Amino acid sequence: MNMFAEIDADTRWQDCMMVTVGIALVASPFLMEYPQQYISQNAFATGLVIAIFALFSLFTPGLWEEAVLLMLGCWSVASPWLLGFSDNRSAALIVVAAGGIVLISALWAMKDEDRNRTTSDSFEER
């Protein structure tokens, strides 16, 4: 049985994008050589959790996974200021851009999930 055959590409592309962004965040400390270890740890941990939840959401779509990804996107956007590395422009830009992509993708996926749920409910009533 092929699990990938069950994925609806039209509605799950956001999760694929978030997996990619998560992997990019995981790789960014190794590629960018951030000056402080806590910046690297933040990017690595946040990217890893984003990738895991996005993969989980890809195969078992639901609103709660997207809500977690939305919160992770918010953390990623705010972390340069909360952790105090906003003066490191390259690290802050990467983390904020990744967080913005995750935020927008999670919101879009939540909208699509709600639309699919509403459509399936209306078909069941008939």
Side-chain angles (χ1 to χ4, degrees):
M1 182 172 165
N2 186 358
M3 289 189 336
F4 294 105
E6 298 175 12
I7 298 172
D8 184 4
D10 292 336
T11 58
R12 305 316 309 166
W13 64 267
Q14 301 95 339
D15 295 321
C16 293
M17 181 176 291
M18 288 187 278
V19 169
T20 304
V21 168
I23 292 170
L25 266 179
V26 167
S28 69
F30 304 105
L31 300 174
M32 298 299 295
E33 298 177 4
Y34 297 137
Q36 288 92 11
Q37 185 175 4
Y38 71 94
I39 299 172
S40 298
Q41 291 171 340
N42 177 60
F44 185 87
T46 304
L48 185 63
V49 175
I50 287 171
I52 289 169
F53 272 95
L55 275 172
F56 189 68
S57 181
L58 186 64
F59 294 108
T60 59
L63 286 176
W64 74 270
E65 295 100 335
E66 306 302 341
V68 170
L69 287 162
L70 182 68
M71 290 185 279
L72 287 166
C74 290
W75 166 256
S76 187
V77 168
S79 66
W81 292 274
L82 295 174
L83 297 177
F85 66 92
S86 60
D87 57 335
N88 185 329
R89 296 225 182 240
S90 63
L93 178 65
I94 289 169
V95 174
V96 169
I101 292 169
V102 171
L103 264 168
I104 292 167
S105 297
L107 284 170
W108 199 324
M110 289 173 87
K111 180 182 71 90
D112 284 350
E113 185 70 28
D114 189 46
R115 181 183 300 140
N116 291 342
R117 184 172 293 162
T118 304
T119 304
S120 67
D121 288 346
S122 65
F123 282 128
E124 289 175 3
E125 291 175 2
R126 293 180 188 171

Coordinates of all heavy atoms in Angstrom, one line a residue, residues 3-4 10 21 28 46 60 63 74 77 88 95 111 113 119:
M3 N 1.4 5.0 0.8 CA 0.8 6.1 1.6 C 0.8 7.3 0.8 O -0.1 8.2 1.0 CB 1.7 6.3 2.9 CG 1.5 5.2 3.9 SD 2.3 5.6 5.5 CE 3.6 6.7 5.2
F4 N 1.7 7.6 -0.1 CA 1.8 8.8 -0.8 C 0.6 8.9 -1.8 O 0.3 10.0 -2.2 CB 3.1 8.9 -1.5 CG 4.2 9.1 -0.6 CD1 5.1 8.0 -0.4 CD2 4.5 10.2 0.1 CE1 6.1 8.1 0.5 CE2 5.5 10.4 1.0 CZ 6.3 9.3 1.2
D10 N -3.6 18.9 -4.0 CA -4.2 20.2 -4.2 C -4.4 20.8 -2.8 O -4.4 22.1 -2.7 CB -5.6 20.1 -4.9 CG -5.4 19.7 -6.3 OD1 -4.3 20.0 -6.9 OD2 -6.4 19.2 -6.9
V21 N 10.6 24.0 4.6 CA 11.1 25.1 5.5 C 11.7 24.6 6.8 O 12.8 25.1 7.2 CB 10.0 26.1 5.8 CG1 10.4 27.1 6.8 CG2 9.5 26.8 4.5
S28 N 20.2 25.3 8.4 CA 20.8 26.6 8.4 C 22.0 26.9 9.4 O 22.9 27.6 9.0 CB 19.7 27.7 8.7 OG 19.2 27.6 10.0
T46 N 13.6 24.5 16.3 CA 12.4 25.0 15.7 C 12.1 24.3 14.4 O 11.0 23.9 14.1 CB 12.4 26.5 15.6 OG1 12.7 27.1 16.8 CG2 11.1 27.0 15.0
T60 N -1.9 12.8 8.2 CA -3.1 12.8 9.0 C -3.6 14.2 9.2 O -3.4 14.8 10.2 CB -2.9 12.1 10.4 OG1 -1.9 12.9 11.1 CG2 -2.5 10.7 10.3
L63 N -7.0 20.0 12.1 CA -6.8 21.4 12.4 C -5.8 21.6 13.6 O -5.1 22.6 13.6 CB -8.1 22.0 12.8 CG -9.1 22.3 11.7 CD1 -10.4 22.9 12.2 CD2 -8.4 23.3 10.7
C74 N 4.7 31.5 14.7 CA 4.8 32.7 15.6 C 6.1 32.8 16.4 O 6.7 33.8 16.5 CB 3.6 32.8 16.5 SG 2.0 33.1 15.7
V77 N 9.0 33.7 14.2 CA 9.0 35.2 13.8 C 9.5 36.0 15.0 O 10.2 36.9 14.9 CB 7.6 35.6 13.3 CG1 7.5 37.1 13.3 CG2 7.3 35.0 12.0
N88 N 21.8 40.4 14.8 CA 22.4 39.5 13.8 C 21.5 39.3 12.6 O 20.6 38.5 12.6 CB 22.8 38.1 14.5 CG 23.6 37.2 13.5 OD1 23.4 37.3 12.3 ND2 24.4 36.4 14.1
V95 N 15.4 33.2 10.2 CA 14.4 32.6 11.1 C 13.0 33.3 10.9 O 12.0 32.7 11.0 CB 14.9 32.8 12.6 CG1 13.8 32.4 13.6 CG2 16.1 31.9 12.8
K111 N -7.5 27.0 6.6 CA -8.7 27.5 5.8 C -9.1 26.4 4.9 O -10.3 26.1 4.8 CB -8.3 28.7 5.0 CG -9.4 29.3 4.1 CD -8.9 30.5 3.3 CE -8.0 30.1 2.2 NZ -8.5 29.8 1.0
E113 N -8.6 23.1 5.3 CA -9.1 22.0 6.1 C -10.6 22.3 6.5 O -11.4 21.5 6.5 CB -8.2 21.8 7.3 CG -8.6 20.6 8.1 CD -8.4 19.3 7.5 OE1 -7.4 19.2 6.7 OE2 -9.1 18.4 7.8
T119 N -17.5 21.2 3.3 CA -18.0 20.6 2.1 C -18.4 19.2 2.3 O -19.4 18.7 1.9 CB -16.9 20.7 1.0 OG1 -16.5 22.0 0.8 CG2 -17.4 20.1 -0.3

